[in-house]
Amino acid sequence: MSWRPTYRSSKFRNVYGKVANREHCFEGIPITKNVHDNHFCAVNAKFLAIVTESAGGGSFVVIPFGRIDPHYPKVCGHQGKVLDIKWNPFHDNIIASCSEDSSVRIWEVPDSGLRRNLTESVLELYGHSRRVGLIEWHPTTSGILFSAGYDYKVMKSFVTESALPSPESITF
């Protein structure tokens, strides 16, 4: 029997990270400190969404890839702080958010990005009696959204294509 070490040798043990250049970074975005155990950002093929620190409600910013203005518009329709955001894996322009106001909201972002603050959600889901801390889209079936709240409930919502407006009817 041959001797084997008690630990696994990693092929990444001599790999080190490198700080990105300023032209590859986003600056001046006030990232929130209130997401608890959740992620404060979500990314898909078109956009980057980041939960931001704000007073008087919750908001998050949706950034198309590239440079942005420091006063870039935000998605700000919740009355409480935003705790989680997730992009729909089947529709690149659909994002869900949950908040301390015990609601889950579905938003549609135009292909060109935001031109002004987005305050009207496409769909509002209420059912939790306390704040909603986690949301997740079903990975293999379109239109199913799960939410978990601090009321010890996990809820499943069906978001059908007919509930969402057509892209031609959205004006920004």
Side-chain angles (χ1 to χ4, degrees):
M1 187 177 240
S2 66
W3 178 82
R4 291 186 183 191
T6 58
Y7 62 89
R8 281 182 48 178
S9 178
S10 172
K11 62 182 176 181
F12 300 109
R13 72 174 165 249
N14 295 321
V15 176
Y16 299 100
K18 185 174 96 172
V19 178
N21 298 338
R22 288 191 111 172
E23 60 266 4
H24 292 80
C25 296
F26 294 104
E27 293 180 343
I29 299 173
I31 297 173
T32 186
K33 298 172 188 74
N34 295 316
V35 291
H36 305 286
D37 293 335
N38 303 338
H39 304 286
F40 63 88
C41 66
V43 66
N44 69 6
K46 291 183 180 180
F47 301 105
L48 167 69
I50 302 169
V51 179
T52 58
E53 191 70 35
S54 62
S59 64
F60 59 96
V61 63
V62 175
I63 305 169
F65 292 113
R67 302 302 291 169
I68 63 164
D69 180 37
H71 302 290
Y72 193 78
K74 296 178 182 175
V75 178
C76 49
H78 285 285
Q79 279 70 38
K81 294 179 180 173
V82 175
L83 298 179
D84 196 12
I85 51 176
K86 290 287 180 351
W87 289 103
N88 187 330
F90 297 96
H91 303 285
D92 286 341
N93 293 30
I94 304 293
I95 189 168
S97 64
C98 64
S99 171
E100 287 184 348
D101 63 2
S102 71
S103 71
V104 175
R105 295 181 187 225
I106 311 295
W107 309 87
E108 185 163 6
V109 179
D111 284 330
S112 60
L114 298 177
R115 303 213 189 274
R116 61 183 173 90
N117 284 347
L118 182 60
T119 57
E120 294 294 323
S121 60
V122 174
L123 192 60
E124 297 177 11
L125 303 170
Y126 295 100
H128 290 280
S129 59
R130 296 183 65 196
R131 63 184 173 186
V132 183
L134 180 71
I135 52 173
E136 191 68 48
W137 290 97
H138 194 283
T140 59
T141 304
S142 178
I144 298 179
L145 180 69
F146 294 95
S147 62
Y150 282 78
D151 54 358
Y152 306 109
K153 293 180 184 175
V154 175
M155 295 191 167
K156 177 173 62 170
S157 303
F158 297 100
V159 181
T160 61
E161 296 291 326
S162 61
L164 301 175
S166 64
E168 296 83 27
S169 67
I170 299 175
T171 57
F172 290 93

